[in-house]
Amino acid sequence: MLAHVRIDLTVNGERREGVLRGGESLLTFLRDTLELPGSKNACEQGECGSCSVLLDGTLVCSCLVLAAQAEGHDVVTVEGLARDGALHPVQQAFVDAGAVQCGFCTPGLVVAVVDLLERMPHPSDDQIREALSGNLCRCTGYAKIFDAVRLAAGRA
Amino acid sequence: MEVFRPSTLDEALRLRAEHPQARPIQGGTDVMVELTFGDARPEALLDLSELAELRGFAEEDGLLRLGAGLTYTEAMQTPLASRLPALAEASRTVGSPQIRNRGTIGGNLGTASPAGDALPPLLAERAEVELASARGTRTMPLAEFLLGVKRTALAPGELVTAVRVRPCEGPQTFAKVGQRNAMVIAICSLAVVVDAEAGEVRAAFGSSAVTARCVVVPLAEAAELPERVVEAASPIDDVRATAAYRRHALRVLAARTLERCLRT
Amino acid sequence: MSATTERPRLAVGRIGERLPREDAVPKVTGEFSYASDLSTPGMLWGDTLRSPHAHARVVSIDVTAALGLPGIHGALTHEDVPGKKLYGLEFADQPVLAIDRVRYVGEPVALVVAEHPEQARRALEAIVVEYEPLEPVVDMERALEQEPLHPDRPTMGHGYRDDRRPNVVRHLVIRHGDPDIAGDVVVTGTYELGIQDQAFLGPESGLAIPDGEGGVDIHVATQWLHVDRDQVAPCLDLRPEQVRLHLSGVGGSFGGREDLSMQIHSALLALHTGRPVKMVYDRAESFTGHVHRHPARIRCEHRATRDGRLTSVRMQILLDGGAYASSSTAVASNAASFGLGPYRVDNALIETTAVYTNNPPCGAMRGFGAVQTCFAAEAQMDQLAAELGLDPVELRLLNALEPGDSLPTGQVIEGSLPTREVIRRAAALPVPDQETLPRDPLRLPGGTGNTTTGEGIRRGVGFALGFKNICYSEGFDDFCAARVVLHADGSAVVHSAAAEVGQGVVGVMLQVARTELGTDEVTLAPHTTATVGSAGSTSASRMTWMAAGAVRDACRAALEERERRGGGEVDVERVHRHPRTTPLDPETGQITGERAHVALAVAAMRVVVEVDVELGLTRVVWVGTAQDVGKAVNPLALEGQIEGGTAQGLGLALMEEIVTRNGAIQNASFTDYLIPTALDMPPVEIELVEVPEPDAPYGVKGVGEPPTVVSTAAIVSAMRAATGRPLTRAPVRPDDICL
């Protein structure tokens, strides 16, 4: 294979393709090549969760996935959650609960909560805290984020 | 930087032999950090994430074979968690849910960090490492595989394909000290296994020597364990903690985890 | 999860209502554009070569090899800075690019610009810099005797106390009453704090676009657009109007974006290449790319009568400002002014010294000098309570500073300061019962690490009180402009350069405009220097007050103007000023007019911790707090400020410290610079105390800083109660508890 390779993958339900550099992360590929900057670049080493996406339905840090590894796989980013102009219930709950301040952690947290509620529709407080322990937030102190999770779970 | 993406183990081993400079990558949780920050610029990468042969685990005659691609999340789930509870507890302390979904046991072995969280429970279980190359497959005790800080006995052309463990029947547990309640690299860690059949207690610690290390004490002398662990450790001062604290914490952890095991 | 719900009508909301944020929708969908998300056709990427030395002479810089690499469009050094070579918030003492000397590890030395960031990174490696290492000044006490790092003394002659010792940024002495007066009891202590990082998640980023006529537009995440412009333009040798700053999405700031990062650099590269240039710091670079909270060493002596009244306090405060002045002079002033805490003390001697060293530069961070002194002063109050056998809450009530009392600077408090009410409300919050065992390790010290099943656990309850100023001080001409365009159809557009950094000022401005104009149809124009005057900084808990004042004044003026004209479109800009302050006397530290500080806000916090005393690990179980907020503009946003501010103080109490070795940061990553996770934060119970500030629009006070000021002190107070150890240093290390 050459240093620059073209890959095909499914992103937010659509077939996408793009040329990547060999060592490039899925995060930079999503942001720079596919022009999906919703996944964020706060640490780029898996310590903050701001780049969280679903890879074949599994929550991962896209900064730690080699972009080439995503070839032929299915990726869902924060941009793929709203449907027909309506927010995803988790997104709506983040808005309503005041869970957003600067918002840099928000896309990753929204994806992580979507994943949590898929696996556990009615998580306990401890389950919420553990499930979100990989998503750093510097603004909110997390309280309103927990409120958002409970709100979304309660509305489902 | 080339990326090789084999779809079978045979193909992977062939590529491994042909391209010894290619860096194996599985979950990417260690390798990607080095690539992104420019700390490593290998000529090529050998992606192992598509290899079905490395996934999951199997049990045959009481011998568990954990595929190198087994994730921490999988190690935390039953039935595996009830067979290797210390490994499950250790896995729960690894990074974040995102990391645990992606990081693998094989990767932990390949990176061979002294802080690798899966290493103490596997050492305490006297795990063996399965190494494959185009020449064939061999196994060696994990304790012999770990040579130093990020150094292993992996020979040219080899890949870590599995870990083999025969879980012992007695109680076991794992504990890890970090200065935060989640998502920390171990200041120090300790796994304890009470092997009644062998009449011994084994404790393996991390982040307190150049590799994770195992200490064995006869069951009758179990009370000696904390002291023996501290004697075996050679911790350093670093940005995470002092050597003095590590020694102290290892002694406390050894006493507590032993008591936890013997209590049950 | 299938059904989606309708979007709420976010556009409704008057002052005092509990409201979701206007910008929350684009933030939850990922559409909101942060500085690091910007891109434009033909864009190049800039990168920065930084000093590996804490202190060295720069002998030569050779960029020839870098220029020959593929994709490289330029490499610049100090010689390429067309205008002023130095910049700075208070004193221009920091080189745009190192000239003949580097003073900290990470100081910018050269710039490159390339087609791709990876090419830029490789070009940096090809630049050859010859350094002659010098002995670094790394100890803040020894700095006062070592060779001066800034021999030209840029901080002298500015009306501050002249101090002949080397490496003094500012020396401040506040002498109040008779500090030698005796007390029945005396408690002393020395306290230390490490360097805290703002650790905002959105890395420093910017995009500079040349306008084709010699000027430049800079899109950046910052806290004060106009003061950025005023620092950038002289270095580019441009007129201010040729440099336009535009606010992009800001991923948090907490003081760390007050100083410039890549603003001048990206503009230099853009003007050099004639193309748009983007710069994005990675996390490691971010740790050297902004200033930090000052580490401090504070010596205290508190004297009191047998019945617990403070008679005199002496404090000696030493702050390490690092290599450049940044806002050290103001931090020093705040540390001194609020050093005693919100207590009535008739006799005091407070000496504060901020020094230059070769450590990372320090400047603004949430709490701004008051965090450090609150930690020391509250430990002293606890110690005094123990010495006197008094309840710590009672001791604080007894000495509480209230309107009519004076600060040690002689300023009589005339505005709102409900100290006793805040103390009582926090102290009345019921503390939760101890949970039974066994528990999931998540709810024990050590968390998922599974280090205890209950062994070694001691519970402790702590209390602390803290305060600080609202708005800029000491005669700073602080103002905020807002412009309101009223359309003929009744809708309105508000123009403001106020930096929305996550705190929610956009919501405040909309609430004010809707309240004043009586319409929901209000929108905000983009924040820029191009269409409206300065808003001042998103700092000092001032933006709610100042923006509310400016928007209110502009709205009222617009309505009057429309009335006068009998309808049609009107466009009005107004500038809001808070009451004037005056400088402190350089020799006595006493006020030279009525006040040196505009207003004050106080917070009290009660904390429960469980400490594993054998391993030195801590779990904060519960936080209850009461805060003086003037008037709650939006309780939902306000609670978020208190919860988030508390979390940052928790970080400083338990885990956050930039560790340096010979001036070099050892933990420039989120792997080793730890900030609290979802598993570290307890529930925070909040009591809002609303006593309107008479001088402020609607009676508002800023709310962002008091929780951070008080929470470190309160948490460590609880840890002392649990462990019986003095714990005089923050963050508390496990060693301090169990070794």
Side-chain angles (χ1 to χ4, degrees):
Chain A
M1 270 186 215
L2 297 171
H4 290 77
V5 274
R6 180 168 290 276
I7 63 163
D8 271 287
L9 69 167
T10 305
V11 179
N12 300 330
E14 286 177 35
R15 283 309 282 176
R16 298 292 300 266
E17 58 167 35
V19 174
L20 53 77
R21 291 173 303 111
E24 184 171 7
S25 70
L26 178 59
L27 174 65
T28 61
F29 183 70
L30 289 169
R31 287 173 55 82
D32 298 340
T33 304
L34 300 188
E35 298 181 344
L36 291 169
S39 306
K40 294 298 174 224
N41 56 331
C43 82
E44 296 185 84
Q45 57 182 129
E47 296 284 353
C48 78
S50 72
C51 65
S52 297
V53 301
L54 299 172
L55 177 63
D56 297 331
T58 300
L59 184 72
V60 300
C61 289
S62 60
C63 72
L64 297 182
V65 176
L66 184 68
Q69 291 180 315
E71 177 166 52
H73 292 274
D74 181 77
V75 176
V76 175
T77 72
V78 70
E79 288 99 336
L81 298 175
R83 285 273 180 276
D84 307 323
L87 297 181
H88 187 283
V90 169
Q91 292 172 320
Q92 188 64 60
F94 268 66
V95 173
D96 296 344
V100 179
Q101 287 188 30
C102 92
F104 208 81
C105 68
T106 305
L109 270 156
V110 165
V111 174
V113 173
V114 168
D115 172 66
L116 168 66
L117 296 181
E118 290 281 339
R119 291 182 291 111
M120 288 180 199
H122 298 285
S124 68
D125 287 357
D126 281 349
Q127 286 168 331
I128 294 170
R129 287 170 1 114
E130 188 166 17
L132 302 186
S133 62
N135 291 80
L136 295 178
C137 172
R138 190 56 160 167
C139 296
T140 67
Y142 304 102
K144 300 278 182 276
I145 293 168
F146 303 153
D147 288 347
V149 181
R150 290 186 282 259
L151 188 61
R155 284 173 177 172
Chain B
M1 198 180 297
E2 284 184 84
V3 181
F4 301 108
R5 303 198 67 225
S7 52
T8 65
L9 181 59
D10 282 347
E11 189 188 351
L13 294 175
R14 182 178 55 75
L15 287 164
R16 180 77 165 141
E18 287 169 9
H19 302 277
Q21 82 289 358
R23 177 95 183 258
I25 178 169
Q26 173 79 273
T29 55
D30 288 327
V31 176
M32 286 308 294
V33 177
E34 293 183 41
L35 295 182
T36 298
F37 283 83
D39 298 331
R41 284 177 184 154
E43 287 171 38
L45 295 167
L46 178 60
D47 173 31
L48 308 177
S49 66
E50 297 291 327
L51 306 182
E53 295 93 328
L54 304 189
R55 291 203 194 115
F57 68 95
E59 183 160 12
E60 205 173 313
D61 299 330
L63 182 70
L64 275 170
R65 182 182 180 277
L66 314 180
L70 185 84
T71 65
Y72 300 106
T73 299
E74 289 166 335
M76 286 164 67
Q77 290 160 355
T78 48
L80 198 52
S82 56
R83 303 284 286 128
L84 294 169
L87 180 63
E89 287 168 327
S91 297
R92 191 184 185 189
T93 73
V94 175
S96 60
Q98 289 88 331
I99 304 279
R100 299 195 283 271
N101 283 342
R102 192 79 189 148
T104 63
I105 305 289
N108 214 217
L109 266 62
T111 295
S113 160
D117 291 313
L119 304 178
L122 292 173
L123 275 174
E125 278 282 21
R126 291 187 296 199
E128 302 220 310
V129 188
E130 183 186 291
L131 303 168
S133 69
R135 304 180 295 276
T137 299
R138 62 173 179 144
T139 60
M140 70 163 65
L142 176 56
E144 289 170 29
F145 176 75
L146 301 171
L147 297 181
V149 177
K150 301 196 174 181
R151 280 197 311 118
T152 69
L154 198 70
E158 280 185 328
L159 291 170
V160 177
T161 47
V163 176
R164 296 180 187 179
V165 193
R166 190 174 296 279
C168 66
E169 294 303 316
Q172 56 175 255
T173 191
F174 172 86
K176 161 175 151 181
V177 173
Q179 211 174 338
R180 180 164 75 177
N181 285 340
M183 214 163 43
V184 278
I185 292 178
I187 285 175
C188 63
S189 63
L190 188 90
V192 168
V193 169
V194 176
D195 188 341
E197 201 179 331
E200 62 189 30
V201 179
R202 292 188 296 273
F205 58 84
S207 288
S208 289
V210 292
T211 66
R213 244 176 222 165
C214 190
V215 172
V216 184
V217 175
L219 200 47
E221 297 164 29
E224 303 293 316
L225 186 75
E227 215 42 55
R228 296 286 306 281
V229 165
V230 173
E231 281 165 19
S234 49
I236 56 166
D237 289 335
D238 66 16
V239 73
R240 292 175 198 132
T242 60
Y245 175 75
R246 287 188 162 103
R247 270 190 212 96
H248 169 84
L250 278 177
R251 184 178 285 117
V252 173
L253 287 186
R256 286 183 183 179
T257 51
L258 181 65
E259 145 73 18
R260 241 183 254 175
C261 289
L262 297 178
R263 196 197 304 160
T264 49
Chain C
M1 306 238 291
S2 52
T4 52
T5 52
E6 275 181 38
R7 292 186 190 204
R9 288 193 60 211
L10 290 177
V12 179
R14 305 294 195 267
I15 287 173
E17 287 182 41
R18 190 177 179 88
L19 297 170
R21 292 173 67 105
E22 185 80 6
D23 59 6
V25 171
K27 284 178 174 175
V28 297
T29 60
E31 290 161 59
F32 190 84
S33 192
Y34 295 89
S36 51
D37 299 334
L38 300 171
S39 81
T40 192
M43 182 177 85
L44 300 172
W45 294 80
D47 208 340
T48 313
L49 182 72
R50 294 176 180 274
S51 166
H53 299 285
H55 193 197
R57 205 170 301 289
V58 179
V59 179
S60 65
I61 308 172
D62 184 355
V63 299
T64 319
L67 287 170
L69 290 174
I72 300 303
H73 287 250
L76 308 182
T77 69
H78 67 92
E79 290 178 354
D80 303 297
V81 178
K84 295 204 161 133
K85 308 273 186 187
L86 304 175
Y87 74 96
L89 267 181
E90 294 177 7
F91 309 105
D93 66 348
Q94 184 154 5
V96 174
L97 292 167
I99 301 167
D100 54 357
R101 169 136 71 152
V102 286
R103 295 180 180 85
Y104 73 100
V105 174
E107 178 158 356
V109 174
L111 305 169
V112 296
V113 57
E115 301 275 342
H116 189 277
E118 183 59 26
Q119 291 170 328
R121 180 150 45 167
R122 289 182 188 238
L124 292 183
E125 293 170 11
I127 296 176
V128 182
V129 185
E130 191 186 336
Y131 294 101
E132 186 185 302
L134 301 168
E135 193 197 341
V137 174
V138 292
D139 181 274
M140 57 177 133
E141 309 227 21
R142 286 196 56 216
L144 295 167
E145 297 153 8
Q146 285 174 288
E147 194 195 337
L149 297 172
H150 295 267
D152 49 336
R153 308 298 296 255
T155 60
M156 294 278 275
H158 291 268
Y160 297 137
R161 190 169 204 275
D162 279 344
D163 189 316
R164 295 284 146 202
R165 292 174 297 175
N167 295 315
V168 172
V169 183
R170 185 173 182 185
H171 181 225
L172 191 73
V173 177
I174 295 178
R175 179 178 281 277
H176 182 58
D178 174 13
D180 293 327
I181 206 159
D184 300 327
V185 290
V186 179
V187 294
T188 60
T190 300
Y191 304 90
E192 281 189 37
L193 296 100
I195 311 176
Q196 189 179 19
D197 189 68
Q198 295 82 355
F200 41 71
L201 289 196
E204 288 91 341
S205 319
L207 173 64
I209 306 175
D211 66 8
E213 296 168 6
V216 64
D217 287 88
I218 306 172
H219 300 259
V220 71
T222 183
Q223 292 178 236
W224 189 354
L225 291 164
H226 284 78
V227 89
D228 280 9
R229 179 196 66 186
D230 294 345
Q231 291 176 88
V232 172
C235 296
L236 300 177
D237 200 21
L238 294 176
R239 296 186 309 279
E241 61 274 17
Q242 289 178 287
V243 178
R244 289 158 302 271
L245 270 285
H246 309 279
L247 191 70
S248 64
V250 183
S253 59
F254 318 116
R257 298 190 209 266
E258 279 193 18
D259 295 75
L260 296 180
S261 53
M262 90 299 289
Q263 284 90 329
I264 303 173
H265 297 161
S266 59
L268 281 171
L269 294 171
L271 292 169
H272 176 77
T273 57
R275 287 173 64 174
V277 174
K278 180 173 175 176
M279 298 183 86
V280 181
Y281 293 178
D282 64 25
R283 183 52 54 185
E285 188 171 20
S286 177
F287 273 96
T288 56
H290 60 258
V291 299
H292 313 287
R293 187 189 302 290
H294 289 73
R297 196 168 298 152
I298 302 169
R299 296 189 176 87
C300 307
E301 182 186 296
H302 282 57
R303 299 179 187 178
T305 60
R306 179 65 55 201
D307 62 0
R309 285 182 196 280
L310 290 166
T311 53
S312 124
V313 176
R314 284 166 177 267
M315 283 183 110
Q316 208 180 27
I317 303 161
L318 193 56
L319 300 165
D320 185 348
Y324 295 100
S326 178
S327 48
S328 283
T329 55
V331 172
S333 167
N334 260 31
S337 294
F338 310 110
L340 305 181
Y343 303 111
R344 190 183 151 172
V345 184
D346 294 333
N347 308 289
L349 180 63
I350 307 165
E351 186 200 347
T352 302
T353 313
V355 299
Y356 282 126
T357 65
N358 293 114
N359 290 320
C362 290
M365 182 174 172
R366 196 175 196 168
F368 204 78
V371 168
Q372 293 93 325
T373 49
C374 181
F375 176 71
E378 289 302 284
Q380 286 286 101
M381 291 303 278
D382 278 353
Q383 210 187 322
L384 190 59
E387 184 75 24
L388 292 165
L390 283 174
D391 177 82
V393 174
E394 288 304 317
L395 180 70
R396 287 168 169 90
L397 277 172
L398 186 66
N399 289 286
L401 188 73
E402 288 271 324
D405 296 336
S406 65
L407 294 169
T409 55
Q411 178 175 338
V412 177
I413 295 159
E414 290 173 346
S416 113
L417 190 69
T419 308
R420 287 202 184 88
E421 175 73 3
V422 161
I423 296 172
R424 286 197 191 99
R425 294 269 290 275
L429 288 168
V431 166
D433 293 334
Q434 188 153 11
E435 281 180 75
T436 53
L437 294 166
R439 303 178 210 155
D440 189 288
L442 290 185
R443 293 199 310 284
L444 284 162
T448 53
N450 199 28
T451 47
T452 178
T453 54
E455 305 94 322
I457 304 299
R458 302 266 168 75
R459 179 175 154 111
V461 181
F463 192 86
L465 186 63
F467 80 146
K468 88 170 281 291
N469 56 326
I470 306 294
C471 300
Y472 279 21
S473 305
E474 289 192 85
F476 189 87
D477 182 21
D478 196 12
F479 62 89
C480 178
R483 183 176 148 209
V484 171
V485 180
L486 271 183
H487 294 299
D489 65 0
S491 66
V493 179
V494 176
H495 293 261
S496 164
E500 170 60 58
V501 300
Q503 85 282 30
V505 72
V506 291
V508 171
M509 292 193 288
L510 287 168
Q511 282 176 279
V512 169
R514 286 170 185 147
T515 303
E516 292 295 332
L517 301 174
T519 174
D520 293 347
E521 304 308 317
V522 182
T523 52
L524 280 179
H527 309 246
T528 170
T529 60
T531 63
V532 63
S534 173
S537 184
T538 294
S539 304
S541 295
R542 67 178 283 287
M543 205 72 253
T544 293
W545 172 326
M546 298 301 285
V551 174
R552 178 196 64 182
D553 296 353
C555 286
R556 290 180 182 175
L559 289 174
E560 278 172 26
E561 178 69 10
R562 188 169 66 182
E563 180 76 22
R564 201 178 55 78
R565 286 204 214 161
E569 180 170 311
V570 295
D571 183 342
V572 174
E573 182 164 337
R574 286 292 178 274
V575 169
H576 182 77
R577 281 191 160 77
H578 58 61
R580 285 297 180 104
T581 60
T582 54
L584 294 172
D585 182 279
E587 289 309 312
T588 64
Q590 297 297 295
I591 47 171
T592 53
E594 273 188 16
R595 49 178 142 188
H597 297 292
V598 176
L600 304 164
V602 59
M605 191 172 282
R606 200 171 185 206
V607 173
V608 179
V609 299
E610 286 180 336
V611 182
D612 179 339
V613 295
E614 292 167 20
L615 284 175
L617 303 178
T618 300
R619 170 195 176 220
V620 181
V621 176
W622 176 88
V623 170
T625 185
Q627 186 170 323
D628 154 34
V629 301
K631 161 77 183 166
V633 179
N634 176 355
L636 186 67
L638 204 166
E639 289 161 12
Q641 286 296 305
I642 294 176
E643 289 152 355
T646 301
Q648 291 184 4
L650 182 147
L652 179 58
L654 296 181
M655 61 187 82
E656 291 187 33
E657 180 173 7
I658 288 183
V659 179
T660 61
R661 186 184 298 151
N662 280 327
I665 299 177
Q666 303 297 299
N667 54 339
S669 73
F670 281 165
T671 307
D672 283 315
Y673 185 89
L674 302 179
I675 66 174
T677 71
L679 281 172
D680 296 287
M681 266 308 283
V684 178
E685 206 164 313
I686 297 168
E687 289 279 314
L688 302 182
V689 177
E690 295 190 72
V691 178
E693 173 62 34
D695 291 325
Y698 315 105
V700 302
K701 286 186 181 185
V703 299
E705 293 178 284
T708 306
V709 170
V710 76
S711 61
T712 305
I715 290 164
V716 180
S717 165
M719 293 168 72
R720 286 187 201 105
T723 61
R725 295 231 176 179
L727 306 183
T728 54
R729 187 183 190 283
V732 178
R733 295 163 294 206
D735 309 48
D736 302 332
I737 295 171
C738 67
L739 291 188

